[in-house]
Every structure is written in C-alpha cells, then in structure tokens.
Amino acid sequence: MIIYSHPYPSRSRAGRALLEAVADLPGLEVRSLYALYPDFDIDVRAEQAALERSELVIWQGPLYWYGVPALLGAWFEKVLSNGWAYGENATALRGKSALWVTTTGAPASDYRPGGIHGHAFEAFVPPVSQTARFCGMNWIDPPVVLHGAHRISVDGLHEATRQYRQRVEGLLAGPRDPGSPHATGHRTTSIEPGIEPRHE
C-alpha cells in the first residue's frame, strides 16, 4: 500500500511520475491522503483497516521542513494509536514492512556538513524510520530519495521511475527479512538530475 501525501499533487512533476510508475502494480493499493482528507478529518478506522490488509507500507511524499507533509504527520499521530500500533498487546503492524519515498528540491550536494542544510540527508531519516520500528515494523533501508526534483531532466526522471518500479516489484515479490542489510542503517538511494542513480 502507498500512503501518498502531497498537498499539491497536480504541481508535482517528479512525485506524480514516481506514483504513476507503480500505481498499476497488482496488489498495490494507493491512498492519496490530501484527496481523501482535505479537511484533515482522518477516518482512523478506515486507515487502520487498510494497514491491516497490507504487508508492505510505502510512505511517499515531498520533504517539507526536513520532515513529512503536515497531513502525513497528522496521520501518524491519529492512525498509529496506542493499543493498536504500539503499546501493550499492540500487534497490528508487527512484522509489516515500511519504505519511505521522498523528493527534495535541493540537490544531494546541499545535504552535507557545511552545506545549506547542514547535515547529510541521513540525519533526517530517523524520525520516519523510528516511527516504523516503534510500531514493530521492518524498516526497509535505504529509503528512496529523489534530489533536485524541480529540475531533474526527462531522462533522469525516467530512470528514477524505472528504478522505483523495479524496487517495489521486488518488495512485493519477495520476502522482507528484517535481518537483511536492507532493514538496517540509514543509507539513502538518491538520484541527481540528469545523472545515474547512486548510493550515498
């Protein structure tokens, strides 16, 4: 399941392309939060039911102020409730897998000590990864990060969507072992405009 959180989806060239690249995969439900809940009045039970029927959960949306968009933050607060997602005898999400997919306006080179954002991008991952882990989920590492989304080339975006689809297909097809290298650490898969993807 993809929990898609972009407040301006029609303006998002990169985010829309990434979503469209995987939306037709069999068994993958897409829930667009800003379309479902423009007033932020989240149907908690409907969201929990969607989570219960999914083994793979993908949180996809742009990076806003070094975190997730406001509605996804509210979704975390309301849907991942004590006694259901975490806490005593809470097992609803235990063993399910979580992947974060995000886009940034700045290039990857701006995410470094001394750069405009002051830290490597990996420094901003823990609030999302720990949300998953706190709920007993298997964190899939590395998250997918498309840097420089506002100015990525046509070829670069095509390559990004190809790799994203391939990644999701693999996750849907195979087991997700929490002891594997893909479930630990805080690396990121990043793609710069017009160049080949690389691990950072």
Side-chain angles (χ1 to χ4, degrees), residues 36-76:
L36 288 168
Y37 310 115
D39 56 0
F40 280 55
D41 186 15
I42 297 170
D43 185 336
V44 171
R45 189 63 200 110
E47 295 304 307
Q48 290 178 342
L51 287 168
E52 287 169 352
R53 60 179 177 262
S54 303
E55 290 302 314
L56 172 65
V57 179
I58 300 172
W59 294 313
Q60 182 183 334
L63 188 77
Y64 277 3
W65 285 107
Y66 310 110
V68 299
L71 184 50
L72 182 55
W75 186 93
F76 285 154

mmCIF file of all heavy atoms in Angstrom, residues 36-76:
data_model
loop_
_atom_site.group_PDB
_atom_site.id
_atom_site.type_symbol
_atom_site.label_atom_id
_atom_site.label_comp_id
_atom_site.label_asym_id
_atom_site.label_seq_id
_atom_site.Cartn_x
_atom_site.Cartn_y
_atom_site.Cartn_z
ATOM 1 N N LEU A 36 -8.293 12.296 0.027
ATOM 2 C CA LEU A 36 -9.248 11.677 0.944
ATOM 3 C C LEU A 36 -9.662 12.603 2.082
ATOM 4 O O LEU A 36 -10.821 12.607 2.501
ATOM 5 C CB LEU A 36 -8.631 10.398 1.537
ATOM 6 C CG LEU A 36 -8.484 9.202 0.603
ATOM 7 C CD1 LEU A 36 -7.599 8.146 1.263
ATOM 8 C CD2 LEU A 36 -9.847 8.615 0.261
ATOM 9 N N TYR A 37 -8.699 13.390 2.578
ATOM 10 C CA TYR A 37 -8.948 14.174 3.780
ATOM 11 C C TYR A 37 -8.456 15.621 3.626
ATOM 12 O O TYR A 37 -7.551 16.064 4.331
ATOM 13 C CB TYR A 37 -8.243 13.521 4.977
ATOM 14 C CG TYR A 37 -8.526 12.041 5.117
ATOM 15 C CD1 TYR A 37 -7.510 11.094 4.963
ATOM 16 C CD2 TYR A 37 -9.818 11.584 5.387
ATOM 17 C CE1 TYR A 37 -7.769 9.743 5.090
ATOM 18 C CE2 TYR A 37 -10.092 10.227 5.502
ATOM 19 C CZ TYR A 37 -9.058 9.305 5.350
ATOM 20 O OH TYR A 37 -9.329 7.963 5.471
ATOM 21 N N PRO A 38 -9.039 16.366 2.700
ATOM 22 C CA PRO A 38 -8.597 17.753 2.515
ATOM 23 C C PRO A 38 -8.820 18.630 3.745
ATOM 24 O O PRO A 38 -8.158 19.654 3.908
ATOM 25 C CB PRO A 38 -9.442 18.234 1.331
ATOM 26 C CG PRO A 38 -10.642 17.345 1.327
ATOM 27 C CD PRO A 38 -10.141 16.008 1.796
ATOM 28 N N ASP A 39 -9.735 18.201 4.606
ATOM 29 C CA ASP A 39 -10.006 18.945 5.841
ATOM 30 C C ASP A 39 -9.264 18.365 7.048
ATOM 31 O O ASP A 39 -9.510 18.773 8.185
ATOM 32 C CB ASP A 39 -11.512 18.956 6.135
ATOM 33 C CG ASP A 39 -12.095 17.550 6.212
ATOM 34 O OD1 ASP A 39 -11.336 16.562 6.032
ATOM 35 O OD2 ASP A 39 -13.312 17.426 6.455
ATOM 36 N N PHE A 40 -8.375 17.394 6.789
ATOM 37 C CA PHE A 40 -7.583 16.737 7.836
ATOM 38 C C PHE A 40 -8.441 15.902 8.788
ATOM 39 O O PHE A 40 -7.967 15.483 9.838
ATOM 40 C CB PHE A 40 -6.762 17.749 8.640
ATOM 41 C CG PHE A 40 -5.483 18.192 7.969
ATOM 42 C CD1 PHE A 40 -5.485 18.727 6.694
ATOM 43 C CD2 PHE A 40 -4.269 18.078 8.627
ATOM 44 C CE1 PHE A 40 -4.316 19.135 6.081
ATOM 45 C CE2 PHE A 40 -3.085 18.483 8.025
ATOM 46 C CZ PHE A 40 -3.102 19.012 6.752
ATOM 47 N N ASP A 41 -9.684 15.636 8.435
ATOM 48 C CA ASP A 41 -10.565 14.824 9.278
ATOM 49 C C ASP A 41 -10.375 13.352 8.887
ATOM 50 O O ASP A 41 -11.152 12.790 8.111
ATOM 51 C CB ASP A 41 -12.018 15.258 9.100
ATOM 52 C CG ASP A 41 -12.953 14.545 10.065
ATOM 53 O OD1 ASP A 41 -12.454 13.946 11.044
ATOM 54 O OD2 ASP A 41 -14.176 14.588 9.841
ATOM 55 N N ILE A 42 -9.338 12.745 9.421
ATOM 56 C CA ILE A 42 -8.918 11.412 9.015
ATOM 57 C C ILE A 42 -9.862 10.346 9.580
ATOM 58 O O ILE A 42 -10.196 10.355 10.772
ATOM 59 C CB ILE A 42 -7.473 11.151 9.495
ATOM 60 C CG1 ILE A 42 -6.516 12.138 8.816
ATOM 61 C CG2 ILE A 42 -7.047 9.718 9.214
ATOM 62 C CD1 ILE A 42 -5.117 12.133 9.399
ATOM 63 N N ASP A 43 -10.280 9.432 8.715
ATOM 64 C CA ASP A 43 -11.088 8.291 9.135
ATOM 65 C C ASP A 43 -10.120 7.241 9.681
ATOM 66 O O ASP A 43 -9.564 6.427 8.925
ATOM 67 C CB ASP A 43 -11.884 7.748 7.951
ATOM 68 C CG ASP A 43 -12.837 6.620 8.337
ATOM 69 O OD1 ASP A 43 -12.591 5.948 9.370
ATOM 70 O OD2 ASP A 43 -13.811 6.392 7.597
ATOM 71 N N VAL A 44 -9.912 7.256 10.963
ATOM 72 C CA VAL A 44 -8.892 6.414 11.584
ATOM 73 C C VAL A 44 -9.164 4.942 11.337
ATOM 74 O O VAL A 44 -8.253 4.179 10.975
ATOM 75 C CB VAL A 44 -8.800 6.711 13.095
ATOM 76 C CG1 VAL A 44 -7.894 5.693 13.796
ATOM 77 C CG2 VAL A 44 -8.280 8.120 13.315
ATOM 78 N N ARG A 45 -10.391 4.515 11.492
ATOM 79 C CA ARG A 45 -10.689 3.085 11.319
ATOM 80 C C ARG A 45 -10.473 2.641 9.883
ATOM 81 O O ARG A 45 -9.970 1.535 9.651
ATOM 82 C CB ARG A 45 -12.124 2.790 11.752
ATOM 83 C CG ARG A 45 -12.403 1.304 11.805
ATOM 84 C CD ARG A 45 -11.541 0.582 12.858
ATOM 85 N NE ARG A 45 -11.454 -0.858 12.599
ATOM 86 C CZ ARG A 45 -10.373 -1.493 12.196
ATOM 87 N NH1 ARG A 45 -9.243 -0.846 11.980
ATOM 88 N NH2 ARG A 45 -10.376 -2.795 12.008
ATOM 89 N N ALA A 46 -10.819 3.481 8.913
ATOM 90 C CA ALA A 46 -10.596 3.121 7.513
ATOM 91 C C ALA A 46 -9.102 2.985 7.223
ATOM 92 O O ALA A 46 -8.682 2.065 6.495
ATOM 93 C CB ALA A 46 -11.211 4.170 6.593
ATOM 94 N N GLU A 47 -8.308 3.883 7.791
ATOM 95 C CA GLU A 47 -6.861 3.806 7.576
ATOM 96 C C GLU A 47 -6.255 2.596 8.271
ATOM 97 O O GLU A 47 -5.368 1.926 7.718
ATOM 98 C CB GLU A 47 -6.197 5.100 8.060
ATOM 99 C CG GLU A 47 -6.607 6.335 7.275
ATOM 100 C CD GLU A 47 -6.343 6.186 5.788
ATOM 101 O OE1 GLU A 47 -5.190 5.848 5.418
ATOM 102 O OE2 GLU A 47 -7.285 6.392 4.997
ATOM 103 N N GLN A 48 -6.723 2.299 9.451
ATOM 104 C CA GLN A 48 -6.218 1.115 10.150
ATOM 105 C C GLN A 48 -6.605 -0.165 9.410
ATOM 106 O O GLN A 48 -5.803 -1.103 9.318
ATOM 107 C CB GLN A 48 -6.740 1.091 11.587
ATOM 108 C CG GLN A 48 -6.124 2.172 12.458
ATOM 109 C CD GLN A 48 -6.671 2.190 13.867
ATOM 110 O OE1 GLN A 48 -7.741 1.629 14.137
ATOM 111 N NE2 GLN A 48 -5.968 2.839 14.779
ATOM 112 N N ALA A 49 -7.803 -0.193 8.858
ATOM 113 C CA ALA A 49 -8.229 -1.366 8.090
ATOM 114 C C ALA A 49 -7.356 -1.545 6.848
ATOM 115 O O ALA A 49 -7.002 -2.675 6.481
ATOM 116 C CB ALA A 49 -9.699 -1.227 7.690
ATOM 117 N N ALA A 50 -7.013 -0.431 6.201
ATOM 118 C CA ALA A 50 -6.137 -0.506 5.031
ATOM 119 C C ALA A 50 -4.761 -1.042 5.417
ATOM 120 O O ALA A 50 -4.161 -1.843 4.694
ATOM 121 C CB ALA A 50 -6.012 0.868 4.388
ATOM 122 N N LEU A 51 -4.253 -0.607 6.554
ATOM 123 C CA LEU A 51 -2.969 -1.103 7.035
ATOM 124 C C LEU A 51 -3.038 -2.585 7.371
ATOM 125 O O LEU A 51 -2.096 -3.341 7.094
ATOM 126 C CB LEU A 51 -2.520 -0.311 8.256
ATOM 127 C CG LEU A 51 -2.029 1.110 8.002
ATOM 128 C CD1 LEU A 51 -1.900 1.875 9.314
ATOM 129 C CD2 LEU A 51 -0.686 1.104 7.269
ATOM 130 N N GLU A 52 -4.138 -3.007 7.948
ATOM 131 C CA GLU A 52 -4.283 -4.410 8.336
ATOM 132 C C GLU A 52 -4.243 -5.344 7.134
ATOM 133 O O GLU A 52 -3.777 -6.485 7.241
ATOM 134 C CB GLU A 52 -5.582 -4.599 9.122
ATOM 135 C CG GLU A 52 -5.518 -4.030 10.525
ATOM 136 C CD GLU A 52 -6.863 -3.969 11.219
ATOM 137 O OE1 GLU A 52 -7.891 -4.239 10.537
ATOM 138 O OE2 GLU A 52 -6.916 -3.643 12.418
ATOM 139 N N ARG A 53 -4.700 -4.879 5.986
ATOM 140 C CA ARG A 53 -4.717 -5.753 4.812
ATOM 141 C C ARG A 53 -3.455 -5.609 3.953
ATOM 142 O O ARG A 53 -3.378 -6.197 2.875
ATOM 143 C CB ARG A 53 -5.961 -5.501 3.966
ATOM 144 C CG ARG A 53 -6.134 -4.106 3.424
ATOM 145 C CD ARG A 53 -7.409 -3.993 2.565
ATOM 146 N NE ARG A 53 -7.623 -2.630 2.103
ATOM 147 C CZ ARG A 53 -8.440 -1.762 2.673
ATOM 148 N NH1 ARG A 53 -9.141 -2.112 3.734
ATOM 149 N NH2 ARG A 53 -8.579 -0.533 2.180
ATOM 150 N N SER A 54 -2.483 -4.871 4.432
ATOM 151 C CA SER A 54 -1.251 -4.645 3.669
ATOM 152 C C SER A 54 -0.042 -5.178 4.422
ATOM 153 O O SER A 54 0.077 -4.979 5.625
ATOM 154 C CB SER A 54 -1.057 -3.146 3.403
ATOM 155 O OG SER A 54 -2.170 -2.600 2.725
ATOM 156 N N GLU A 55 0.853 -5.824 3.701
ATOM 157 C CA GLU A 55 2.110 -6.284 4.294
ATOM 158 C C GLU A 55 3.243 -5.295 4.026
ATOM 159 O O GLU A 55 4.216 -5.247 4.780
ATOM 160 C CB GLU A 55 2.486 -7.663 3.750
ATOM 161 C CG GLU A 55 1.573 -8.777 4.231
ATOM 162 C CD GLU A 55 1.540 -8.878 5.751
ATOM 163 O OE1 GLU A 55 2.614 -8.848 6.366
ATOM 164 O OE2 GLU A 55 0.425 -8.973 6.313
ATOM 165 N N LEU A 56 3.124 -4.527 2.954
ATOM 166 C CA LEU A 56 4.113 -3.511 2.599
ATOM 167 C C LEU A 56 3.443 -2.143 2.644
ATOM 168 O O LEU A 56 2.406 -1.937 2.018
ATOM 169 C CB LEU A 56 4.665 -3.768 1.189
ATOM 170 C CG LEU A 56 5.573 -2.685 0.600
ATOM 171 C CD1 LEU A 56 6.864 -2.546 1.398
ATOM 172 C CD2 LEU A 56 5.866 -2.990 -0.874
ATOM 173 N N VAL A 57 4.040 -1.222 3.392
ATOM 174 C CA VAL A 57 3.511 0.134 3.502
ATOM 175 C C VAL A 57 4.582 1.105 3.009
ATOM 176 O O VAL A 57 5.706 1.113 3.522
ATOM 177 C CB VAL A 57 3.124 0.475 4.959
ATOM 178 C CG1 VAL A 57 2.594 1.908 5.043
ATOM 179 C CG2 VAL A 57 2.094 -0.517 5.484
ATOM 180 N N ILE A 58 4.231 1.908 2.011
ATOM 181 C CA ILE A 58 5.148 2.898 1.449
ATOM 182 C C ILE A 58 4.609 4.279 1.779
ATOM 183 O O ILE A 58 3.482 4.620 1.413
ATOM 184 C CB ILE A 58 5.281 2.730 -0.076
ATOM 185 C CG1 ILE A 58 5.829 1.339 -0.415
ATOM 186 C CG2 ILE A 58 6.190 3.816 -0.665
ATOM 187 C CD1 ILE A 58 5.811 1.016 -1.910
ATOM 188 N N TRP A 59 5.409 5.063 2.474
ATOM 189 C CA TRP A 59 5.054 6.452 2.747
ATOM 190 C C TRP A 59 5.743 7.314 1.710
ATOM 191 O O TRP A 59 6.977 7.431 1.692
ATOM 192 C CB TRP A 59 5.500 6.860 4.158
ATOM 193 C CG TRP A 59 4.769 6.131 5.237
ATOM 194 C CD1 TRP A 59 3.423 5.923 5.328
ATOM 195 C CD2 TRP A 59 5.337 5.513 6.401
ATOM 196 N NE1 TRP A 59 3.117 5.217 6.475
ATOM 197 C CE2 TRP A 59 4.266 4.957 7.154
ATOM 198 C CE3 TRP A 59 6.643 5.394 6.884
ATOM 199 C CZ2 TRP A 59 4.463 4.282 8.342
ATOM 200 C CZ3 TRP A 59 6.840 4.712 8.077
ATOM 201 C CH2 TRP A 59 5.761 4.163 8.796
ATOM 202 N N GLN A 60 4.975 7.908 0.813
ATOM 203 C CA GLN A 60 5.553 8.688 -0.277
ATOM 204 C C GLN A 60 5.052 10.119 -0.244
ATOM 205 O O GLN A 60 3.843 10.370 -0.150
ATOM 206 C CB GLN A 60 5.218 8.067 -1.643
ATOM 207 C CG GLN A 60 5.846 8.840 -2.798
ATOM 208 C CD GLN A 60 5.471 8.296 -4.157
ATOM 209 O OE1 GLN A 60 5.151 7.112 -4.296
ATOM 210 N NE2 GLN A 60 5.512 9.138 -5.175
ATOM 211 N N GLY A 61 5.972 11.065 -0.341
ATOM 212 C CA GLY A 61 5.614 12.474 -0.386
ATOM 213 C C GLY A 61 6.872 13.324 -0.360
ATOM 214 O O GLY A 61 7.972 12.824 -0.117
ATOM 215 N N PRO A 62 6.733 14.615 -0.581
ATOM 216 C CA PRO A 62 7.894 15.503 -0.593
ATOM 217 C C PRO A 62 8.452 15.748 0.808
ATOM 218 O O PRO A 62 7.741 15.544 1.808
ATOM 219 C CB PRO A 62 7.336 16.799 -1.189
ATOM 220 C CG PRO A 62 5.886 16.787 -0.779
ATOM 221 C CD PRO A 62 5.473 15.340 -0.839
ATOM 222 N N LEU A 63 9.692 16.165 0.859
ATOM 223 C CA LEU A 63 10.300 16.567 2.125
ATOM 224 C C LEU A 63 9.930 18.020 2.397
ATOM 225 O O LEU A 63 10.247 18.908 1.614
ATOM 226 C CB LEU A 63 11.828 16.427 2.053
ATOM 227 C CG LEU A 63 12.560 16.645 3.376
ATOM 228 C CD1 LEU A 63 12.419 15.423 4.272
ATOM 229 C CD2 LEU A 63 14.037 16.950 3.134
ATOM 230 N N TYR A 64 9.241 18.247 3.519
ATOM 231 C CA TYR A 64 8.852 19.599 3.918
ATOM 232 C C TYR A 64 9.489 19.932 5.257
ATOM 233 O O TYR A 64 9.216 19.248 6.257
ATOM 234 C CB TYR A 64 7.325 19.694 4.040
ATOM 235 C CG TYR A 64 6.590 19.932 2.742
ATOM 236 C CD1 TYR A 64 7.251 19.988 1.518
ATOM 237 C CD2 TYR A 64 5.215 20.113 2.726
ATOM 238 C CE1 TYR A 64 6.566 20.205 0.341
ATOM 239 C CE2 TYR A 64 4.518 20.337 1.551
ATOM 240 C CZ TYR A 64 5.204 20.380 0.359
ATOM 241 O OH TYR A 64 4.517 20.596 -0.812
ATOM 242 N N TRP A 65 10.306 20.964 5.290
ATOM 243 C CA TRP A 65 10.965 21.373 6.533
ATOM 244 C C TRP A 65 11.590 20.162 7.238
ATOM 245 O O TRP A 65 11.392 19.950 8.422
ATOM 246 C CB TRP A 65 10.003 22.149 7.430
ATOM 247 C CG TRP A 65 9.777 23.542 6.918
ATOM 248 C CD1 TRP A 65 8.664 24.038 6.321
ATOM 249 C CD2 TRP A 65 10.732 24.616 6.928
ATOM 250 N NE1 TRP A 65 8.846 25.341 5.954
ATOM 251 C CE2 TRP A 65 10.122 25.722 6.321
ATOM 252 C CE3 TRP A 65 12.057 24.741 7.387
ATOM 253 C CZ2 TRP A 65 10.775 26.950 6.149
ATOM 254 C CZ3 TRP A 65 12.704 25.955 7.219
ATOM 255 C CH2 TRP A 65 12.063 27.043 6.611
ATOM 256 N N TYR A 66 12.325 19.383 6.450
ATOM 257 C CA TYR A 66 13.118 18.262 6.962
ATOM 258 C C TYR A 66 12.266 17.137 7.539
ATOM 259 O O TYR A 66 12.756 16.319 8.328
ATOM 260 C CB TYR A 66 14.145 18.747 8.001
ATOM 261 C CG TYR A 66 14.949 19.921 7.485
ATOM 262 C CD1 TYR A 66 14.771 21.195 8.019
ATOM 263 C CD2 TYR A 66 15.847 19.757 6.437
ATOM 264 C CE1 TYR A 66 15.484 22.281 7.523
ATOM 265 C CE2 TYR A 66 16.566 20.835 5.931
ATOM 266 C CZ TYR A 66 16.384 22.093 6.475
ATOM 267 O OH TYR A 66 17.087 23.166 5.975
ATOM 268 N N GLY A 67 11.030 17.075 7.129
ATOM 269 C CA GLY A 67 10.156 16.008 7.600
ATOM 270 C C GLY A 67 9.062 15.727 6.581
ATOM 271 O O GLY A 67 9.155 16.117 5.423
ATOM 272 N N VAL A 68 8.019 15.060 7.036
ATOM 273 C CA VAL A 68 6.922 14.689 6.153
ATOM 274 C C VAL A 68 5.894 15.818 6.086
ATOM 275 O O VAL A 68 5.836 16.673 6.974
ATOM 276 C CB VAL A 68 6.251 13.390 6.640
ATOM 277 C CG1 VAL A 68 7.248 12.240 6.647
ATOM 278 C CG2 VAL A 68 5.618 13.571 8.025
ATOM 279 N N PRO A 69 5.066 15.866 5.050
ATOM 280 C CA PRO A 69 3.999 16.873 4.972
ATOM 281 C C PRO A 69 3.054 16.795 6.167
ATOM 282 O O PRO A 69 2.911 15.750 6.816
ATOM 283 C CB PRO A 69 3.280 16.516 3.660
ATOM 284 C CG PRO A 69 4.326 15.844 2.828
ATOM 285 C CD PRO A 69 5.136 15.046 3.818
ATOM 286 N N ALA A 70 2.386 17.901 6.433
ATOM 287 C CA ALA A 70 1.573 18.028 7.647
ATOM 288 C C ALA A 70 0.506 16.945 7.782
ATOM 289 O O ALA A 70 0.280 16.413 8.877
ATOM 290 C CB ALA A 70 0.921 19.410 7.685
ATOM 291 N N LEU A 71 -0.152 16.593 6.680
ATOM 292 C CA LEU A 71 -1.235 15.610 6.783
ATOM 293 C C LEU A 71 -0.689 14.225 7.102
ATOM 294 O O LEU A 71 -1.326 13.464 7.835
ATOM 295 C CB LEU A 71 -2.069 15.588 5.505
ATOM 296 C CG LEU A 71 -3.297 14.680 5.495
ATOM 297 C CD1 LEU A 71 -4.174 14.901 6.717
ATOM 298 C CD2 LEU A 71 -4.111 14.879 4.213
ATOM 299 N N LEU A 72 0.482 13.889 6.577
ATOM 300 C CA LEU A 72 1.068 12.597 6.937
ATOM 301 C C LEU A 72 1.469 12.596 8.411
ATOM 302 O O LEU A 72 1.321 11.592 9.105
ATOM 303 C CB LEU A 72 2.265 12.263 6.051
ATOM 304 C CG LEU A 72 2.930 10.911 6.323
ATOM 305 C CD1 LEU A 72 1.925 9.765 6.241
ATOM 306 C CD2 LEU A 72 4.093 10.680 5.355
ATOM 307 N N GLY A 73 1.968 13.725 8.888
ATOM 308 C CA GLY A 73 2.265 13.826 10.319
ATOM 309 C C GLY A 73 1.021 13.611 11.165
ATOM 310 O O GLY A 73 1.059 12.904 12.181
ATOM 311 N N ALA A 74 -0.094 14.207 10.746
ATOM 312 C CA ALA A 74 -1.361 14.010 11.466
ATOM 313 C C ALA A 74 -1.819 12.558 11.364
ATOM 314 O O ALA A 74 -2.378 12.003 12.325
ATOM 315 C CB ALA A 74 -2.425 14.945 10.905
ATOM 316 N N TRP A 75 -1.596 11.955 10.209
ATOM 317 C CA TRP A 75 -1.939 10.538 10.007
ATOM 318 C C TRP A 75 -1.159 9.668 10.985
ATOM 319 O O TRP A 75 -1.725 8.772 11.619
ATOM 320 C CB TRP A 75 -1.639 10.168 8.558
ATOM 321 C CG TRP A 75 -2.040 8.810 8.102
ATOM 322 C CD1 TRP A 75 -3.202 8.442 7.493
ATOM 323 C CD2 TRP A 75 -1.252 7.610 8.188
ATOM 324 N NE1 TRP A 75 -3.190 7.100 7.193
ATOM 325 C CE2 TRP A 75 -2.006 6.571 7.606
ATOM 326 C CE3 TRP A 75 0.017 7.326 8.691
ATOM 327 C CZ2 TRP A 75 -1.533 5.262 7.523
ATOM 328 C CZ3 TRP A 75 0.493 6.024 8.614
ATOM 329 C CH2 TRP A 75 -0.278 5.012 8.037
ATOM 330 N N PHE A 76 0.143 9.931 11.117
ATOM 331 C CA PHE A 76 0.937 9.192 12.099
ATOM 332 C C PHE A 76 0.321 9.319 13.495
ATOM 333 O O PHE A 76 0.169 8.337 14.220
ATOM 334 C CB PHE A 76 2.371 9.731 12.149
ATOM 335 C CG PHE A 76 3.250 9.348 10.991
ATOM 336 C CD1 PHE A 76 4.320 10.154 10.625
ATOM 337 C CD2 PHE A 76 3.038 8.187 10.270
ATOM 338 C CE1 PHE A 76 5.148 9.807 9.568
ATOM 339 C CE2 PHE A 76 3.855 7.831 9.204
ATOM 340 C CZ PHE A 76 4.919 8.650 8.855
#
